[in-house]
């Protein structure tokens, strides 16, 4: 077993490990009863051996409910990359290739940091990406999960409302991209999800969408957006 592959055995141990802000941590939330976790645990161990510059933590999700709640774990396996104590990437499901690519990317960044090289991603690059996402459809939503599998009650209500109104829209699952999830809060000065945009303009969250539907304003806004 690699020295950088650690089985979490207490909440205190986990808190101590993530307090080391300079470390890049790869978290593996798993369960013994979940068949996909067995395969991904092997992949996780292999990656730990291949990338000693990173720290790989295995957390049995149901044994540590407080940690699982902290990271909003709704299914296993789920993987999270922590950098500077913050989640910068998240992968849900048995996606070995996606996990390997993420680990390799962050290992490269960690190696550069140790050697004194810089690998800074300018804020304007993220802002351009957010602007592009927001304008990628006349009606755009940023939600937790997908329309088919909402991952929070507010998202589920919004999806149901839009279906009732027969509104065509595109969506982005903010749970799979921490840069977008955190960056959009700053970009739009709106701290919660879901968020809905029409013609590139922020409409707001669930409560505002409900009000606009009741008043008939949302229907007018969408017609105008579709005609542009």
């Amino acid at each position: 077993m690699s020295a950088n592959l650690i089985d979490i055995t207490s909440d205190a141990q986990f808190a101590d490990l993530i307090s080391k802000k300079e470390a890049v941590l790869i978290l593996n939330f798993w369960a013994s009863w979940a068949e996909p976790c067995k395969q991904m645990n092997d992949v996780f161990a292999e990656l730990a051996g291949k990338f000693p510059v990173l720290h790989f933590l295995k957390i049995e999700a149901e044994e540590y409910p407080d940690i699982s709640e902290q990271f909003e774990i709704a299914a296993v396996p789920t993987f999270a990359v922590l950098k500077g104590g913050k989640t910068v990437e998240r992968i849900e499901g048995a996606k070995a290739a996606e996990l390997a690519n993420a680990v390799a990317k962050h290992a490269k960044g960690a190696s550069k940091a140790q050697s004194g090289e810089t690998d800074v991603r300018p804020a304007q690059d993220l802002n351009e990406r957010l602007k592009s996402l927001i304008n990628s459809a006349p009606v755009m939503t940023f939600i937790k999960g997908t329309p088919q599998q909402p991952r929070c009650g507010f998202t589920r209500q919004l999806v149901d409302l839009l279906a009732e109104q027969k509104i065509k829209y595109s969506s982005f699952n903010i749970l799979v991209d921490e840069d977008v999830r955190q960056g959009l809060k700053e970009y739009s000065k709106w701290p919660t999800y879901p968020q809905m945009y029409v013609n590139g303009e922020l409409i707001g969250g669930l409560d505002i969408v409900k009000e606009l539907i009741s008043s008939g304003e949302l229907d007018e806004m969408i017609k105008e957006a579709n005609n542009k």
Side-chain angles (χ1 to χ4, degrees):
M1 182 171 168
S2 305
N4 61 328
L5 177 58
I6 302 165
D7 277 296
I8 295 301
T9 55
S10 72
D11 290 292
Q13 176 203 21
F14 180 77
D16 180 59
L17 287 166
I18 67 168
S19 70
K20 297 174 173 60
K21 301 294 187 185
E22 71 280 0
V24 178
L25 309 176
I26 315 296
L27 311 186
N28 171 9
F29 289 90
W30 68 286
S32 57
W33 50 263
E35 195 64 33
C37 289
K38 295 177 183 177
Q39 174 203 345
M40 292 306 293
N41 283 349
D42 290 340
V43 172
F44 198 69
E46 186 179 332
L47 290 170
K50 191 175 179 182
F51 297 102
V53 72
L54 306 178
H55 301 269
F56 293 75
L57 311 185
K58 285 178 66 184
I59 305 119
E60 196 163 358
E62 292 175 348
E63 292 294 314
Y64 299 98
D66 290 344
I67 299 174
S68 295
E69 184 178 346
Q70 179 185 347
F71 288 89
E72 298 181 8
I73 303 303
V76 290
T78 291
F79 303 89
V81 181
L82 265 63
K83 198 172 181 181
K86 295 182 179 179
T87 303
V88 294
E89 195 154 350
R90 185 181 176 103
I91 297 158
E92 297 182 345
K95 300 172 183 174
E98 195 172 326
L99 176 63
N101 288 338
V103 168
K105 177 180 70 176
H106 290 286
K108 184 179 178 182
S111 297
K112 283 185 176 182
Q114 285 188 3
S115 65
E117 295 181 46
T118 58
D119 188 19
V120 179
R121 182 173 168 182
Q124 63 263 32
D125 288 355
L126 177 58
N127 285 345
E128 285 300 315
R129 185 176 171 219
L130 294 173
K131 185 178 179 182
S132 177
L133 281 170
I134 287 168
N135 287 279
S136 62
V139 181
M140 187 69 189
T141 62
F142 292 83
I143 59 179
K144 291 185 177 182
T146 65
Q148 295 77 27
Q149 291 185 306
R151 299 295 292 275
C152 79
F154 296 121
T155 290
R156 185 173 293 106
Q157 288 184 59
L158 179 65
V159 166
D160 289 346
L161 273 174
L162 297 179
E164 286 170 13
Q165 300 297 314
K166 295 183 172 56
I167 293 171
K168 292 182 180 179
Y169 65 98
S170 292
S171 66
F172 184 91
N173 180 3
I174 51 99
L175 294 180
V176 302
D177 193 315
E178 197 67 17
D179 283 346
V180 171
R181 182 179 185 174
Q182 299 301 334
L184 194 59
K185 293 178 184 180
E186 291 294 319
Y187 183 86
S188 294
K189 302 292 185 282
W190 193 271
T192 58
Y193 291 99
Q195 294 182 16
M196 181 167 162
Y197 296 75
V198 175
N199 206 32
E201 297 292 329
L202 175 66
I203 299 304
L206 176 64
D207 288 340
I208 291 178
V209 171
K210 284 180 178 177
E211 290 175 16
L212 291 173
I213 287 174
S214 295
S215 67
E217 290 176 74
L218 185 61
D219 188 46
E220 291 300 317
M221 293 168 75
I222 290 172
K223 283 179 183 175
E224 185 178 333
N226 286 330
N227 287 332
K228 288 191 175 181

